[in-house]
Amino acid sequence: QQQVKQSPQSLIVQKGGISIINCAYENTAFDYFPWYQQFPGKGPALLIAIRPDVSEKKEGRFTISFNKSAKQFSLHIMDSQPGDSATYFCAAGAGGTSYGKLTFGQGTILTVHP
Amino acid sequence: GAGVSQSPSNKVTEKGKDVELRCDPISGHTALYWYRQRLGQGLEFLIYFQGNSAPDKSGLPSDRFSAERTGESVSTLTIQRTQQEDSAVYLCASTRTGVGELFFGEGSRLTVL
């Protein structure tokens, strides 16, 4: 029940294309859903996050779509760039003062070809 | 420093040895977390410190793992009698209380031979 399932494991898109990564969760206590971006040899960095009171959040080229009834959320990267090539992790947290205690998905390796 | 600092960046040890990994969080961040990242896997929560409260140790995989934090500063993760399955990158993160964003260090890569 604590798992967050992420797909696909890897994704290759052309420059300018749309990258879509999906996640699903079971624990209905989760109320915080961040996406982290990780470059090789670096720690993950927060990209964008959403709480379940909204169905979509957009920041620049990055959009989270959230479907509470289906317990699914996804990351869309518009106009994908080679610099977006990285590993992306979805995560979920159960709030309170411990929003940092997250359950992470397995990660998606994104490659954007020029 | 400006970010979360971890040391050593790389550690190679023999099975059965003890190792200590250090984390220096961002100044002013009261919460500190340790995560483990096995090759090709997502991050696994290990332990969480918040101020002077008792730590949340619910993610520690065995009693060979322990961690300490002095006040709101440096933390040390200790792994006793290391096993090959302990090989992973150990990531530390800090955050201000009530703020969701975790700020991660670059990790300590542990290899157990």
Side-chain angles (χ1 to χ4, degrees), chain A residues 5-11 18-24 35-36 47 63-65 72-77 84 86-90 107-110:
Chain A
K5 296 181 180 179
Q6 183 172 347
S7 63
Q9 282 189 303
S10 62
L11 180 62
I18 301 173
S19 304
I20 302 174
I21 305 170
N22 301 297
C23 285
W35 285 87
Y36 279 79
L47 190 61
T63 300
I64 299 179
S65 297
Q72 295 175 347
F73 57 110
S74 60
L75 176 69
H76 295 232
I77 305 174
D84 297 331
T87 300
Y88 292 80
F89 294 96
C90 63
T108 296
I109 301 172
L110 172 66

Side-chain angles (χ1 to χ4, degrees), chain A residues 36 38 42 100-102 106, chain B residues 35 37 56 58 102 106:
Chain A
Y36 279 79
Q38 185 178 32
K42 302 294 185 183
K101 183 180 176 182
L102 299 171
Q106 298 279 71
Chain B
Y35 281 83
Q37 185 175 24
D56 179 343
S58 59
L102 289 174
E106 295 192 345

Side-chain angles (χ1 to χ4, degrees), chain B residues 2 11-12 51 61 64 70 82 85 87 89 93 108 110:
Chain B
K11 176 72 175 179
V12 180
R64 296 186 296 105
T70 306
T82 52
E85 60 263 29
S87 295
V89 176
S108 292
L110 174 65

Side-chain angles (χ1 to χ4, degrees), chain B:
Chain B
V4 176
S5 178
Q6 291 189 245
S7 62
S9 55
N10 279 286
K11 176 72 175 179
V12 180
T13 191
E14 293 180 347
K15 177 181 174 181
K17 300 286 189 182
D18 298 351
V19 297
E20 283 190 353
L21 308 176
R22 176 189 168 105
C23 173
D24 201 341
I26 294 172
S27 178
H29 282 193
T30 58
L32 185 148
Y33 301 79
W34 284 96
Y35 281 83
R36 177 171 70 178
Q37 185 175 24
R38 289 184 165 134
L39 186 64
Q41 302 294 311
L43 284 70
E44 302 169 74
F45 166 79
L46 296 177
I47 189 169
Y48 158 51
F49 295 91
Q50 173 59 60
N52 293 319
S53 301
D56 179 343
K57 304 179 182 180
S58 59
L60 294 179
S62 78
D63 59 6
R64 296 186 296 105
F65 288 71
S66 63
E68 293 184 346
R69 187 183 186 194
T70 306
E72 295 183 353
S73 61
V74 171
S75 176
T76 302
L77 176 68
T78 301
I79 308 172
Q80 295 180 309
R81 305 181 303 281
T82 52
Q83 303 295 312
Q84 289 184 332
E85 60 263 29
D86 299 334
S87 295
V89 176
Y90 289 84
L91 290 159
C92 176
S94 68
T95 186
R96 284 194 293 269
T97 302
V99 177
E101 180 174 3
L102 289 174
F103 293 84
F104 282 92
E106 295 192 345
S108 292
R109 181 177 297 278
L110 174 65
T111 303
V112 183
L113 301 176

